[in-house]
């Protein structure tokens, strides 16, 4: 099957680079599947998993939002943060999840930035799911 080059890049540097058969992820507008020869486009991404399908296996990368750009021979994902499944610190993600949940359950609501806590919870859940390959 024809392959396409994929790079996942963050402000801290490249996180993933490979030739793959298909890139699947969630754009803001819904599920996205990119094969070689896809029309050029740019799409904002949700906090979610990016599945990179190769001949005999798939790689998973947790992405905290950002943009996906498709060019004729290359897909680039620019994300604020991203980790390959194998690089995720599961304990750290579980602690982040607990912290975010505590904030969201806080009774003194004026002390909590709910949007920020919700996003932290989404990032943590996404990392946990990717690390456990639970997607
Ligand atoms: P935390 O509260 O644990 O810092 P966060 O969601 O606020 O989580 P981010 O701001 O998204 O963290 O990321 C900061 C940096 O830490 C990024 O480089 C990101 O890749 C890395 N990072 C965050 N959580 C993890 C994790 N569980 N395992 C590995 N790297 C992580």
């Amino acid at each position: 099957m024809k392959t396409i080059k994929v790079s996942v890049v963050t402000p801290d540097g490249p996180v993933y680079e490979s030739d793959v058969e298909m890139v699947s992820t969630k754009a803001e507008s819904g599920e996205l599947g990119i094969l070689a020869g896809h029309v050029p486009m740019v799409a904002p991404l949700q906090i979610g998993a990016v599945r990179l399908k190769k001949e005999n296996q798939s790689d998973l990368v947790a992405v905290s939002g950002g943009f996906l750009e498709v060019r004729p021979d290359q897909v680039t994902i620019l994300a604020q943060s991203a980790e390959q499944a194998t690089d995720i610190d599961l304990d750290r993600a579980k602690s982040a999840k607990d912290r975010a949940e505590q904030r969201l359950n806080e009774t003194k609501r004026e002390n909590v930035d709910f949007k920020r806590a919700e996003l932290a919870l989404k990032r943590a859940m996404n990392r946990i799911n990717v690390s456990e390959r639970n997607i």
Side-chain angles (χ1 to χ4, degrees):
M1 195 170 171
K2 230 179 147 210
T3 60
I4 187 163
K5 190 184 283 296
V6 181
S7 305
V8 180
V9 183
T10 74
D12 297 329
V15 167
Y16 181 92
E17 209 161 271
S18 189
D19 289 306
V20 308
E21 291 182 348
M22 180 154 118
V23 183
S24 320
T25 190
K26 270 193 195 146
E28 293 283 4
S29 55
E31 293 280 340
L32 207 58
I34 312 282
L35 299 167
H38 195 285
V39 288
M41 66 164 203
V42 173
L45 297 179
Q46 297 185 32
I47 294 171
V50 180
R51 185 181 293 276
L52 302 131
K53 192 188 169 305
K54 296 180 165 175
E55 198 176 348
N56 297 314
Q57 42 129 172
S58 287
D59 296 329
L60 277 180
V61 178
V63 171
S64 298
F67 288 90
L68 174 145
E69 181 194 32
V70 183
R71 280 181 278 146
D73 55 349
Q74 163 108 38
V75 174
T76 307
I77 292 173
L78 292 168
Q80 191 57 44
S81 69
E83 305 86 33
Q84 293 200 51
T86 46
D87 291 336
I88 291 173
D89 178 339
L90 189 54
D91 287 340
R92 176 174 168 179
K94 285 180 175 169
S95 302
K97 174 175 177 275
D98 290 347
R99 275 199 311 278
E101 282 174 343
Q102 275 168 21
R103 287 193 185 113
L104 292 170
N105 289 329
E106 174 80 57
T107 43
K108 293 192 190 107
R109 302 192 128 237
E110 64 276 13
N111 295 340
V112 178
D113 182 342
F114 278 89
K115 189 73 205 161
R116 187 172 158 190
E118 264 169 21
L119 288 172
L121 180 59
K122 273 194 190 171
R123 290 195 299 275
M125 299 285 293
N126 183 41
R127 287 179 178 126
I128 292 166
N129 288 336
V130 167
S131 171
E132 294 179 340
R133 291 196 155 253
N134 188 20
I135 53 157

